[in-house]
Amino acid sequence: MKPAHPHRFGQVALLGRPNVGKSTLLNSLVGSPLSIVSPKPQTTRHRILGIVTLDGAQIAFLDTPGLHLGGKRAINRQLNRVARQVPDEADVLVHVVAAPRWTDEDEEVWQLVSRHRAPRLLAINKIDRFPDKSALLPFVAGITATRDYAGVHYLRANRGDGNEALLRDIVAHLPEGGPRYEDDELTDRSERFLAAEMIREQLMLRLDAELPYATSVEIERFEQEGGLARIAAAIWVEREGQKGIVVGNGGERLKAIGSAARRRMESLFGTRVFLELWVKVRENWSDDEAALRQFGYGD
Ligand code: GDP
Ligand code: MG
């Protein structure tokens, strides 16, 4: 006899312009800080998979770089390429927007999601930014009057508010299928990859203006010995003059970046971490396709 509710499995893309809270949402759904978050746009540079296993369903969420207009460098084109490819892999599309704004970039994301056949849900995040909640309904009505979403959700991703209803709605739209990952698997990304991301997160948080966008991280060594991970990483910058800023007075900033990243890794990996960092120069890497491939931004 077939069970009353067949198991469901699907991939779900989180799409939106930069900085609306896609990565915060992924982390709060998965319950683990897999995808790095900062107040600066274009923090996410990769497609990050996060797995949620429920009773009777498994969802593989795909976090994406924010779709953006205007960036002219090779890295900007690469980020948009990743964002535009992910919907092809997805069974459900979640368009994340940040209340109370709908911008040209949000419209661009709508254009992308509306071209796909997969059901699309609208997730209005940062509803705490609406001091007057009665203004929320006209905001949403303005969006949905001419755009066709299968459902609308109200979220406060940094607190997990609204997640349960969103998950229920997603599951209702998933195809039947067995689980593709183990119950306790959270991502398909390696610890080596996540380590580089934890370092990049600190660069996003601790550097100002254009400098975070001039940095990239490459893991040069990753060795596990019992309960200790020995990690050596290069922080790439684009010009000699940027090196000193990352290192800071007497090496203070680099030390702070290293120890914060190390603490994040220790908590995520559940091991002790010994981390060594070097700052290196690769002229103009962010506009250089070969350097992007070397640094792991390939498709
Ligand atoms: P992404 O670029 O879309 O992945 O956005 P992030 O997840 O990196 O978040 C961008 C910023 O928005 C971060 O500073 C988050 O802490 C913040 N943020 C995320 N969700 C919320 C929310 O519900 N309310 C508020 N006020 N801020 C949020
Ligand atoms: Mg992100």
Side-chain angles (χ1 to χ4, degrees):
M1 216 172 75
K2 278 179 81 176
H5 297 288
H7 192 278
R8 293 170 187 259
F9 174 85
Q11 305 213 111
V12 176
L14 302 178
L15 298 157
R17 68 173 161 86
N19 222 25
V20 292
K22 299 175 295 299
S23 301
T24 306
L25 177 60
L26 178 92
N27 293 342
S28 97
L29 290 164
V30 174
S32 186
L34 294 176
S35 193
I36 65 173
V37 168
S38 91
K40 301 188 180 79
Q42 293 180 43
T43 298
T44 307
R45 293 184 187 164
H46 305 271
R47 159 193 173 290
I48 309 280
L49 183 136
I51 302 154
V52 174
T53 300
L54 304 165
D55 199 18
Q58 189 175 64
I59 310 169
F61 283 99
L62 303 169
D63 187 16
T64 58
L67 195 66
H68 58 283
L69 304 167
K72 295 272 184 291
R73 303 178 74 74
I75 182 105
N76 300 113
R77 291 194 296 278
Q78 171 59 19
L79 298 187
N80 278 343
R81 200 145 53 222
V82 174
R84 288 185 184 285
Q85 279 167 356
V86 165
D88 295 332
E89 304 175 55
D91 302 291
V92 176
L93 308 177
V94 178
H95 180 185
V96 185
V97 307
R101 292 174 59 218
W102 177 275
T103 68
D104 288 349
E105 289 178 325
D106 292 309
E107 186 61 31
E108 187 71 15
V109 178
W110 160 254
Q111 294 297 333
L112 172 68
V113 300
S114 63
R115 279 200 298 273
H116 283 78
R117 275 222 306 272
R120 38 186 181 265
L121 302 176
L122 178 64
I124 316 280
N125 189 33
K126 308 197 187 185
I127 54 166
D128 52 296
R129 295 277 177 80
F130 263 100
D132 175 12
K133 298 286 180 248
S134 64
L136 201 47
L137 290 179
F139 171 69
V140 175
I143 298 173
T144 55
T146 54
R147 301 174 192 88
D148 174 27
Y149 292 93
V152 180
H153 291 269
Y154 300 92
L155 306 177
R156 199 169 167 181
N158 52 1
R159 299 207 327 193
D161 296 358
N163 285 5
E164 263 187 52
L166 177 64
L167 284 172
R168 265 200 309 277
D169 201 4
I170 287 170
V171 170
H173 287 94
L174 292 184
E176 289 181 19
R180 198 176 294 174
Y181 302 95
E182 300 294 331
D183 283 4
D184 56 355
E185 251 180 297
L186 297 181
T187 185
D188 62 349
R189 290 290 191 172
S190 65
E191 290 189 344
R192 189 186 176 102
F193 172 85
L194 295 170
E197 288 288 273
M198 305 276 118
I199 298 164
R200 213 165 55 70
E201 179 169 54
Q202 294 305 319
L203 296 168
M204 294 300 300
L205 291 170
R206 290 166 194 268
L207 299 174
D208 295 321
E210 291 307 307
L211 203 51
Y213 304 102
T215 63
S216 191
V217 175
E218 194 179 27
I219 302 294
E220 298 190 326
R221 200 176 66 223
F222 192 120
E223 291 162 3
Q224 290 273 7
E225 299 167 12
L228 178 71
R230 285 182 186 279
I231 303 170
I235 296 171
W236 291 98
V237 294
E238 302 206 285
R239 286 183 276 110
E240 195 61 41
Q242 295 169 334
K243 225 165 135 171
I245 309 176
V246 175
V247 172
N249 274 339
E252 280 302 315
R253 184 176 286 121
L254 189 61
K255 221 154 102 193
I257 289 166
S259 60
R262 178 179 51 76
R263 283 195 300 274
R264 301 279 281 167
M265 291 176 208
E266 290 185 327
S267 119
L268 192 65
F269 303 159
T271 54
R272 281 191 309 124
V273 169
F274 177 73
L275 177 64
E276 286 175 287
L277 294 177
W278 282 273
V279 185
K280 300 184 178 178
V281 182
R282 172 87 175 247
E283 290 286 333
N284 213 20
W285 68 263
S286 72
D287 206 20
D288 173 347
E289 303 275 358
L292 291 181
R293 277 193 299 279
Q294 183 194 328
F295 294 168
Y297 300 106
D299 303 285

